Amino acid sequence: MGESAPGDRAAPSVAGIPPGMVTAVVAILHSVPGPIRRRKLLEELDHRGRRISLAGLNRVLQHCSEAGITLESPDGVRLKDPRR
């Protein structure tokens, strides 16, 4: 059987996070070479057909941070371990 994407483990059970949204955010973070700002993340999600509010994205990013998937800095959000 295939491996699950990072962040899929708890995403469906997290209140306020649409199913698959963690996976979508992680996919975008994989596709950029460095940190990305929240507004740019929102634009890219919308471009990929995954529209979400800023508050919703904040919940996703909080979950990712608490799960050890992402790191945040003044430059934006990035994967903690880009090889994941």
Side-chain angles (χ1 to χ4, degrees), residues 19-44:
M21 192 57 74
V22 170
T23 302
V25 168
V26 169
I28 292 169
L29 294 174
H30 269 295
S31 72
V32 295
I36 185 172
R37 296 199 181 268
R38 291 169 191 259
R39 293 285 179 187
K40 187 68 177 164
L41 255 175
L42 285 172
E43 289 173 17
E44 187 59 34

Side-chain angles (χ1 to χ4, degrees), residues 3-73:
E3 292 181 15
S4 65
D8 274 354
R9 294 177 287 270
S13 63
V14 178
I17 297 178
M21 192 57 74
V22 170
T23 302
V25 168
V26 169
I28 292 169
L29 294 174
H30 269 295
S31 72
V32 295
I36 185 172
R37 296 199 181 268
R38 291 169 191 259
R39 293 285 179 187
K40 187 68 177 164
L41 255 175
L42 285 172
E43 289 173 17
E44 187 59 34
L45 285 165
D46 190 41
H47 178 73
R48 295 179 183 202
R50 300 298 311 249
R51 181 170 286 185
I52 189 171
S53 67
L54 179 57
L57 178 60
N58 287 338
R59 285 190 296 274
V60 172
L61 293 175
Q62 180 180 0
H63 167 75
C64 289
S65 178
E66 290 172 357
I69 299 167
T70 60
L71 293 173
E72 295 191 42
S73 71

